[in-house]
Amino acid sequence: MIEQPLWNDDIYYHARLQRELKTAICLDESIRHARDAAAALETGACRIVNVKVGRVGGFSEARKVHDVCQDNNVPVWCGGMLETGVGRPTISRFRRFRISDCLAMCPHRNGTGRKILSNPRSW
């Protein structure tokens, strides 16, 4: 996976690049709401989406982004945007929302803040 290799407003060139690569592109900063996710998936700009609750404006929009991805059989992973200790459990709750076929990023359990990729079904 290559995360956001081009500018955040460059859906067109992400789509052109994705057609040339075997490796999946994951869009992150490009996805600000469900409309961005729908446009990215319709144009083939990515094969994976990173949804950040804070960036998309809250849980309602994050759920819409998730649903757009799920409708298109595209994996989603949930990253964070500098959440404090209070915010992390809230984001974790979103990660558990109907994501049986999605990926999730979570803080490393030893408290280092290092992020690890894990399977949410094992939580």
Side-chain angles (χ1 to χ4, degrees):
M1 172 185 83
I2 303 170
E3 184 177 336
Q4 196 72 43
L6 305 173
W7 292 99
N8 66 326
D9 61 350
D10 222 344
I11 298 290
Y12 173 76
Y13 283 106
H14 276 104
R16 287 185 59 181
L17 179 60
Q18 182 62 86
R19 284 192 291 273
E20 300 295 322
L21 298 175
K22 291 181 182 178
T23 303
I25 289 176
C26 173
L27 289 184
D28 183 350
E29 288 85 4
S30 296
I31 308 301
R32 299 162 299 156
H33 39 68
R35 292 186 321 273
D36 285 340
L41 299 180
E42 186 175 321
T43 60
C46 65
R47 294 186 198 138
I48 302 171
V49 169
N50 175 2
V51 61
K52 291 182 179 164
V53 175
R55 187 186 58 242
V56 300
F59 288 105
S60 296
E61 194 64 24
R63 180 177 176 174
K64 290 175 189 175
V65 171
H66 168 271
D67 291 347
V68 166
C69 294
Q70 189 173 42
D71 291 346
N72 288 278
N73 296 315
V74 171
V76 175
W77 62 273
C78 181
M81 293 181 64
L82 306 175
E83 286 83 12
T84 64
V86 174
R88 284 189 181 145
T90 307
I91 301 303
S92 293
R93 283 181 139 336
F94 175 74
R95 290 179 183 139
R96 289 182 176 102
F97 171 75
R98 295 178 12 195
I99 58 173
S100 59
D101 57 345
C102 301
L103 304 173
M105 288 294 278
C106 64
H108 193 272
R109 293 196 186 269
N110 70 7
T112 65
R114 187 172 58 101
K115 295 194 178 216
I116 58 170
L117 192 61
S118 63
N119 179 344
R121 286 177 251 179
S122 67
W123 295 351

